[in-house]
Amino acid sequence: MISDVVILGGGPAGLSAAIAAAQAGASVVVVDENPRPGGKLLGQLHEEENGKWWIGAEVSKSLAVQAVEAGVQILPNRQVWNLSPEWEVSLDGGETICADYAVVATGAAERPVPMPGWTLPGVMAIGAAQTLTNYYRVRPGDRIAIVGLDPLSLTVAHELSMAGAVVVGIYLPGMNDFAKEQADPDRSLKYLAGMSDLAPNAFLRLGGKLAALGALRSLALTFYPPTGIPLMGTRLNLRKSVVAIGGQGRVQYVDVASVDKLGNPGRTRRVEVDCVCLSGGLYPVQELTKGCELAYIEQLGGTIPLHSPEMETSRPNLFVAGTVTGIEGAKIAMAQGRLAGTVIASRVGLLRGPELVAEAEAAVDRARESSAITFMPEIKAGRRIAHERWLELDGSSLTAKKEIYT
Amino acid sequence: MKRISDHPVLGPLTHAEIGIEFDGEQYRALEGDSVAAALLANGIRTLRYSNRTGEPRGIYCGIGHCYECRMTINGVQSVRSCITPACDGDVLESQGDDREQSGDF
């Protein structure tokens, strides 16, 4: 199969890149591992600032329809086994796609939260619970404990309640080698403060308000009610951590320890649940960017491919878009995708003048400014570091790139 | 773990019913379900057994990364049930419970 552009990943970034390139006239193939396009957008559901609901499944469908109408070929249920330069994509079924340009839009995955009992059926990553609830419409449990405090876990707690589950509480993970920072109540409070600027719903706003105490933070922890504070039908517990999960053949309970200000466990109590959702945060997935210049940037959530403001990596004609470049929301991923698709259309010679590329670049900035939710509290610093690292890159790859521009 | 047949924001479910078989029993599911979602809607959490210890395993990541949900689907072993669509007439089997035969690795 031969096309102008091959896009790896059919989530919000990949589909948006496909739409932009195909609407300009490029031939585009999108490869995705899942049966339906949309990626993690499929399960998203939250109320926006304007009071309207962001229904990820509907946004995904609309993107897929636009892509198909623009002539994009979407190949679902395919695993990419290899991406070799300039560009040949090998798929698990033996198919090969050759393209002049490639976009890696492989998104993010969740950091695991290992603890005693976490392999029992009924323990799952928070993102799995989100997709089951909002997309497949299956409640992952009737009484659910959430472990880990972040924007995703708070949002999903609300979504589970809306779907009729009892969320018995949101807890910190127990202090162990895997969860040092997450288990620290002070760090969790700081984290809440960082994401509170423009929270998407009352649930997050309340959490943010608490943390906005700033300098009074440690005082807040000292006086933080041991029973937690009520939030949308559940309790946020900064002074309790889940130290073990147990049950015969399935989840039946969690052991919850009271913790002091530093996160050290004290007395333990057993709480009956049939499901535990673990939230360890997200990291960008770099399985297909191995040949690119990569950098570990903590503020972006992990290792990312360094890229130009136009989303091109250090390997000419290999682009990236979406959370593979750092943990941000779906609207930013879509804007990045449109930018990558527009730049490629311009390179193919389908667009006249630089205006559309400049406009797509500005749209990414606008999406960031109007973003209702910040997953990574220091995302702006992370983006700045990433850009500086990009500018520091010299050598053949960038020289080659300049030649393309002239 | 039940089907969310009505939802305050998303409204009622209107998908068509399908029939699936799991470990010899018949179950109903909905068109558009993943295999893992279809089984969970029927109260089934255990999808396979650890080859080392025989302990039960279920859905973990839900995005095809961790392979915890692998099953035998229509005779094909180790298919990730969280990203495989359920189809009418599917024959699903848990796997890994034959650890005596598979040896200790």
Side-chain angles (χ1 to χ4, degrees):
Chain A
M1 197 181 296
I2 295 169
S3 67
D4 294 324
V5 193
V6 62
I7 295 174
L8 310 174
L15 290 175
S16 299
I19 292 165
Q23 283 180 345
S27 60
V28 183
V29 177
V30 175
V31 183
D32 195 273
E33 202 174 16
N34 294 279
R36 270 167 298 272
K40 291 307 284 181
L41 176 59
L42 284 173
Q44 289 188 6
L45 177 69
H46 60 254
E47 197 176 357
E48 305 217 272
E49 292 294 291
N50 59 14
K52 286 191 181 151
W53 285 87
W54 171 261
I55 301 173
E58 288 179 5
V59 181
S60 301
K61 197 168 188 179
S62 155
L63 288 173
V65 167
Q66 286 177 60
V68 169
E69 281 175 357
V72 174
Q73 196 174 355
I74 300 177
L75 303 178
N77 301 312
R78 310 294 210 282
Q79 266 182 283
V80 172
W81 277 8
N82 192 36
L83 169 65
S84 52
E86 308 271 324
W87 296 101
E88 194 175 292
V89 177
S90 312
L91 304 180
D92 56 343
E95 296 160 290
T96 303
I97 304 160
C98 295
D100 297 330
Y101 299 87
V103 181
V104 175
T106 45
E110 288 185 61
R111 291 180 199 283
V113 188
M115 67 171 70
W118 77 310
T119 57
L120 280 170
V123 182
M124 64 185 77
I126 193 93
Q130 183 179 42
T131 307
L132 283 168
T133 306
N134 301 330
Y135 184 68
Y136 290 116
R137 301 281 295 266
V138 179
R139 203 154 52 227
D142 293 322
R143 277 177 65 80
I144 303 173
I146 294 177
V147 184
L149 177 63
D150 58 63
L152 185 60
S153 73
L154 288 166
T155 303
V156 176
H158 183 206
E159 293 163 5
L160 290 167
S161 305
M162 276 198 295
V166 174
V167 180
V168 299
I170 302 171
Y171 306 93
L172 301 181
M175 188 75 95
N176 63 34
D177 287 345
F178 301 103
K180 271 201 175 106
E181 287 201 335
Q182 259 211 320
D184 177 350
D186 189 55
R187 182 211 163 260
S188 295
L189 205 56
K190 201 191 268 177
Y191 190 86
L192 271 180
M195 73 198 194
S196 66
D197 293 349
L198 277 167
N201 57 40
F203 194 78
L204 283 180
R205 264 182 235 127
L206 188 48
K209 227 180 257 173
L210 171 82
L213 290 168
L216 297 175
R217 210 186 307 123
S218 71
L219 200 63
L221 276 176
T222 308
F223 293 107
Y224 193 86
T227 52
I229 53 163
L231 274 182
M232 303 286 281
T234 184
R235 301 192 86 81
L236 177 62
N237 296 287
L238 290 179
R239 296 289 291 277
K240 285 192 193 326
S241 59
V242 168
V243 292
I245 303 164
Q248 284 298 319
R250 63 188 169 87
V251 173
Q252 290 170 311
Y253 60 84
V254 285
D255 283 335
V256 177
S258 301
V259 296
D260 65 16
K261 272 197 296 186
L262 302 172
N264 299 310
R267 209 165 47 90
T268 299
R269 195 169 60 93
R270 192 156 280 189
V271 179
E272 276 183 30
V273 293
D274 63 353
C275 175
V276 178
C277 300
L278 302 176
S279 190
L282 301 162
Y283 69 91
V285 170
Q286 304 302 336
E287 285 168 354
L288 295 172
T289 52
K290 288 288 188 283
C292 306
E293 292 285 349
L294 303 175
Y296 178 80
I297 298 173
E298 195 185 351
Q299 295 91 334
L300 298 180
T303 299
I304 59 130
L306 296 174
H307 59 83
S308 73
E310 297 187 336
M311 310 309 296
E312 191 174 22
T313 67
S314 61
R315 300 178 84 175
N317 302 340
L318 180 62
F319 289 72
V320 282
T323 47
V324 70
T325 72
I327 307 306
E328 291 182 275
K331 285 185 183 172
I332 296 165
M334 286 157 70
Q336 287 179 315
R338 279 191 294 270
L339 172 57
T342 305
V343 171
I344 291 168
S346 165
R347 297 271 186 89
V348 174
L350 297 165
L351 299 177
R352 272 188 207 176
E355 291 82 11
L356 285 173
V357 169
E359 164 52 28
E361 212 176 310
V364 176
D365 295 335
R366 279 201 306 276
R368 289 209 168 102
E369 281 155 25
S370 62
S371 169
I373 183 164
T374 307
F375 286 89
M376 307 301 297
E378 292 173 58
I379 191 82
K380 279 183 187 162
R383 287 292 169 204
R384 200 174 53 241
I385 295 165
H387 185 60
E388 282 162 10
R389 294 287 299 273
W390 167 256
L391 294 176
E392 281 164 18
L393 277 187
D394 49 13
S396 56
S397 59
L398 286 187
T399 315
K401 192 168 158 292
K402 272 182 200 138
E403 280 162 16
I404 292 166
Y405 279 125
T406 50
Chain B
M1 52 208 152
K2 286 190 195 102
R3 190 64 74 168
I4 305 158
S5 49
D6 206 356
H7 189 287
V9 177
L10 301 171
L13 270 180
T14 53
H15 300 61
E17 274 204 355
I18 57 169
I20 54 172
E21 182 187 312
F22 171 68
D23 283 352
E25 301 283 329
Q26 302 298 317
Y27 298 94
R28 309 300 296 172
L30 296 183
E31 222 164 59
D33 277 345
S34 65
V35 167
L39 292 173
L40 189 62
N42 285 284
I44 296 160
R45 288 197 183 279
T46 299
L47 304 174
R48 69 176 182 97
Y49 299 85
S50 162
N51 288 64
R52 287 189 195 186
T53 61
E55 288 171 357
R57 294 283 192 269
I59 306 170
Y60 183 74
C61 79
I63 57 169
H65 264 236
C66 73
Y67 282 74
E68 283 289 86
C69 68
R70 60 190 186 267
M71 299 177 68
T72 301
I73 300 182
N74 298 323
V76 182
Q77 279 191 14
S78 296
V79 179
R80 294 169 293 176
S81 62
C82 73
I83 58 165
T84 302
C87 300
D88 194 45
D90 271 353
V91 178
L92 316 168
E93 296 162 87
S94 59
Q95 63 180 55
D97 43 356
D98 53 346
R99 60 192 184 284
E100 274 83 15
Q101 293 154 42
S102 60
D104 57 339
F105 58 89

